[in-house]
Amino acid sequence: MLKLPTVRLFLSQASQFGLLLLVATTTVTAQQPPENPNIIVILADDMGFSDLGSFGSEIKTPNLDRLAKEGLILTQFYNSGRCCPSRASLLTGLYPHQAGIGDMVQDKGSPAYQGYLSENSVTIAQLLKTANYNTIVSGKWHVGLVPSAFANNRGFDKSFTMQNNGSSYFNSEPIYNDGRKVTFLLNGKEIQRTDTSKYLTQAITDFAIKSLNEISNNKNPFFLYVAYNAPHWPIQALPKDIARYKGKYLKGWDVLRNERLKKQKQSGIVQSDWALSKRNDQVPDWDNLTDLEKDFWDTRMAIYAAMVDRMDHGIGEILAKLKEQGKDKNTLILFMSDNGGSGDTVKDWNYVSQKNGTPGSVNSIDSYYPNWGNVSNTPFSLFKKNTHEGAIAAPFIAWFPKMIKAGSTSNYVGHLIDVLPTCLDLAKVNYPKEFNSKTLIPFEGKSLVTVFQDQAKIRQNPLFWEHEGSRAIRKGDWKLVAELNQPWELYNLKTDRTETLNLKDKHAEKAAELEKEYLVWAKKVGVVDWNTIK
């Protein structure tokens, strides 16, 4: 290529012959290749489909709602139904079993359930490093307790991670009484969180911002994975945040579910003819509760709402930092949740320390129970750990002004396995056959870049789930699903995504076809009969 002074002289002489525009354009194109975007992936924990304002909620989430308004909402995006499996799929583009985490981080005796990232998998961070990306993770890791699976050994330059689940939001004290502990690592080295004034959600936000400041002058792009622990139990929040929601839930869960559904239908998040799934059988009629009981349940949901609110506030801080650094125009932001709202009843678990201090404080360990989890998952049924829609349907927002038209909505069927291929697509990185001398399992997902550009795209390949015996396949509009030791159910999600009309008997051939395809997949990825696992 000609040196700059020569180019200027050449252009000056060429201008006499009307060649200035042609030569200048050619030169600029050669010297300014397209810039790889920064990528931020934000994951919420145990947050239901309807818990954002843009997905029907009364909870204040202005920052995420702005991203939704200026970006793209996918109305049919899925996770893997629980913390560890979802994180494994997001990071690797594989189904959880292929990544070694078909269940949680305890070894269940087979490669698909070994409880830590497989050596035949590779993370987004590891691959983006080959394109000179700076890589940062802040938050809940939960994909293995062995060093080979730690974030610092899986491609992240800077890492503040909670290795497992169920942490207090105010310190590192274990909330289990069966010997398990909560481990926090800073760049691979264990640290203790003893400052009870530092709320965990804020600590996760602060590390992300600190890391962005440290690379602010680096010309290479960055990949930032922010994995909030909120609003996973124990439900603990800042008193000022709880106060903003106290009393707002005295109308009860039935009213809230209907209010959220109405907003969802108005915005097009759900179809107008879908029926609301029935109230969960574990949840009583609100009108039959005493005033004291209503106040008790109002407080629980106020704490949960405060946790979502504070997470959104932290996301706003990250967005402000991006804008301050002038990097917002070339940054893709993806937001989703790892599973639906939880039905966990931790007060009934003898292996959880029972603390009954002020609700929402460091001295209280509690959850919001199926009563409010049923609201979070409006309009769907069941909870985290299942494979009905309430467990696996996630709110999804993509924001990238360079590519995504503001106010876009798509019914494209997406999944966490699509995150890795999307990142690689934008970073122009090929997925290798081998990495660190290990043969890689080919990723299962599809890049969402084409969906960013054309919201009418349709997914052609089926999606699969299995978690602790709960199992499902979705192919087109049809979904075959069964809970542990229960018979298959068949639904047409185009007309009944809330799974209220079981069509298995009416369409027995379709059910048999899907079951056959599911069993082929289950064998391929190493699914084991959950009744045989101890």
Side-chain angles (χ1 to χ4, degrees):
M1 182 179 292
L2 296 176
K3 294 182 180 180
L4 188 58
T6 308
V7 172
R8 285 176 176 168
L9 176 61
F10 177 62
L11 292 179
S12 176
Q13 294 169 340
S15 65
Q16 301 175 46
F17 302 98
L19 296 177
L20 175 60
L21 179 61
L22 175 62
V23 178
T25 302
T26 302
T27 304
V28 170
T29 301
Q31 290 185 339
Q32 296 182 354
E35 185 181 2
N36 279 358
N38 305 304
I39 300 171
I40 299 178
V41 174
I42 305 173
L43 188 68
D45 194 354
D46 284 15
M47 194 191 78
F49 181 78
S50 73
D51 280 331
L52 301 182
S54 47
F55 280 75
S57 181
E58 70 294 331
I59 300 173
K60 303 301 181 185
T61 53
N63 296 294
L64 285 167
D65 294 347
R66 178 174 72 82
L67 294 181
K69 184 177 180 179
E70 297 176 359
L72 167 69
I73 285 177
L74 292 189
T75 64
Q76 299 190 88
F77 189 85
Y78 289 106
N79 50 52
S80 297
R82 201 172 183 187
C83 308
C84 305
S86 284
R87 283 164 170 73
S89 286
L90 185 157
L91 286 166
T92 68
L94 302 174
Y95 283 108
H97 310 75
Q98 294 171 307
I101 309 182
D103 189 42
M104 304 297 279
V105 293
Q106 291 76 36
D107 190 347
K108 298 294 195 302
S110 74
Y113 301 89
Q114 67 185 21
Y116 56 90
L117 290 179
S118 165
E119 64 180 15
N120 304 113
S121 69
V122 65
T123 70
I124 299 171
Q126 286 175 292
L127 294 178
L128 292 188
K129 286 294 294 177
T130 67
N132 297 317
Y133 270 71
N134 295 288
T135 53
I136 307 161
V137 58
S138 184
K140 184 173 177 179
W141 186 239
H142 216 196
V143 287
L145 300 177
V146 298
S148 66
F150 291 178
N152 61 301
N153 293 324
R154 280 292 186 161
F156 286 95
D157 303 323
K158 300 176 184 294
S159 58
F160 167 61
T161 55
M162 185 177 78
Q163 295 303 104
N164 33 17
N165 68 333
S167 170
S168 165
Y169 282 78
F170 295 98
N171 55 42
S172 298
E173 292 180 6
I175 65 170
Y176 298 101
N177 55 27
D178 59 0
R180 279 181 285 177
K181 71 172 187 175
V182 176
T183 303
F184 286 89
L185 299 182
L186 180 62
N187 298 322
K189 297 181 179 180
E190 185 170 350
I191 60 171
Q192 295 294 317
R193 293 185 68 246
T194 56
D195 181 3
T196 57
S197 67
K198 177 71 78 169
Y199 187 61
L200 179 55
T201 300
Q202 191 62 50
I204 292 171
T205 299
D206 288 351
F207 183 81
I209 291 175
K210 174 178 177 289
S211 299
L212 290 177
N213 282 332
E214 290 171 350
I215 63 168
S216 61
N217 295 323
N218 191 310
K219 296 187 181 302
N220 290 327
F222 66 80
F223 170 63
L224 170 61
Y225 173 38
V226 185
Y228 284 107
N229 193 46
H232 190 290
W233 60 267
I235 49 171
Q236 296 175 342
L238 301 176
K240 63 181 180 181
D241 292 341
I242 299 172
R244 288 201 295 273
Y245 291 95
K246 188 72 178 78
K248 293 185 181 296
Y249 295 98
L250 290 171
K251 61 182 68 176
W253 31 73
D254 292 325
V255 172
L256 259 296
R257 291 185 79 214
N258 279 286
E259 287 181 351
R260 289 191 177 191
L261 178 62
K262 182 179 179 180
K263 292 177 185 176
Q264 291 172 333
K265 290 183 175 181
Q266 289 172 342
S267 65
I269 297 294
V270 305
Q271 300 300 316
S272 60
D273 57 347
W274 289 351
L276 179 65
S277 61
K278 71 181 184 70
R279 184 201 313 139
N280 186 268
D281 293 339
Q282 303 173 74
V283 182
D285 186 331
W286 181 265
D287 292 335
N288 292 336
L289 301 181
T290 66
D291 288 345
L292 190 63
E293 289 171 328
K294 290 178 180 179
D295 182 73
F296 169 82
W297 286 108
D298 168 71
T299 299
R300 269 185 169 156
M301 188 59 185
I303 298 166
Y304 177 89
M307 297 169 77
V308 176
D309 184 308
R310 180 53 51 179
M311 177 184 67
D312 181 82
H313 183 84
I315 292 169
E317 291 184 50
I318 294 172
L319 296 179
K321 178 56 62 175
L322 271 184
K323 188 169 184 178
E324 175 191 311
Q325 294 181 347
K327 296 182 178 180
D328 53 323
K329 303 300 183 185
N330 191 41
T331 299
L332 166 70
I333 301 175
L334 303 178
F335 175 88
M336 65 219 74
S337 180
D338 69 340
N339 48 249
S342 171
D344 291 348
T345 57
V346 300
K347 286 294 186 186
D348 301 329
W349 297 352
N350 58 16
Y351 53 85
V352 172
S353 300
Q354 300 299 316
K355 291 186 177 182
N356 300 301
T358 302
S361 74
V362 69
N363 297 312
S364 172
I365 294 179
D366 205 351
S367 57
Y368 74 158
Y369 280 54
N371 308 49
W372 290 120
N374 201 193
V375 173
S376 288
N377 299 333
T378 302
F380 307 124
S381 63
L382 295 185
F383 312 96
K384 161 190 176 180
K385 303 177 188 176
N386 303 121
T387 52
H388 283 74
E389 295 291 286
I392 60 176
F396 179 92
I397 299 168
W399 183 88
F400 191 25
K402 276 189 173 183
M403 183 177 293
I404 298 173
K405 182 180 178 182
S408 299
T409 301
S410 174
N411 294 325
Y412 181 83
V413 179
H415 191 285
L416 287 173
I417 57 176
D418 300 332
V419 175
L420 177 140
T422 301
C423 295
L424 300 190
D425 194 355
L426 287 170
K428 297 180 282 295
V429 173
N430 293 322
Y431 188 87
K433 292 183 179 180
E434 293 185 354
F435 194 86
N436 287 343
S437 301
K438 301 295 182 181
T439 300
L440 295 181
I441 300 171
F443 66 73
E444 296 278 358
K446 302 292 182 182
S447 172
L448 297 173
V449 171
T450 56
V451 184
F452 296 164
Q453 299 166 327
D454 178 6
Q455 285 79 53
K457 285 284 184 181
I458 297 174
R459 190 182 202 97
Q460 301 299 327
N461 61 313
L463 293 171
F464 302 90
W465 294 263
E466 189 278 334
H467 183 70
E468 297 187 352
S470 180
R471 57 212 183 274
I473 171 177
R474 174 169 180 171
K475 187 175 184 180
D477 294 325
W478 290 99
K479 180 182 176 185
L480 190 70
V481 58
E483 297 304 329
L484 176 63
N485 298 326
Q486 297 300 309
W488 288 108
E489 302 165 12
L490 179 69
Y491 298 100
N492 185 329
L493 300 190
K494 184 174 183 179
T495 57
D496 178 32
R497 195 178 170 206
T498 52
E499 299 170 315
T500 60
L501 184 61
N502 183 2
L503 300 174
K504 181 174 179 289
D505 292 338
K506 186 176 181 180
H507 295 280
E509 289 185 4
K510 174 59 71 174
E513 170 196 324
L514 292 176
E515 181 181 18
K516 182 178 180 181
E517 197 162 353
Y518 168 82
L519 291 173
V520 170
W521 170 84
K523 183 178 180 180
K524 182 184 85 167
V525 303
V527 169
V528 175
D529 180 356
W530 191 251
N531 294 296
T532 68
I533 293 180
K534 297 180 180 180

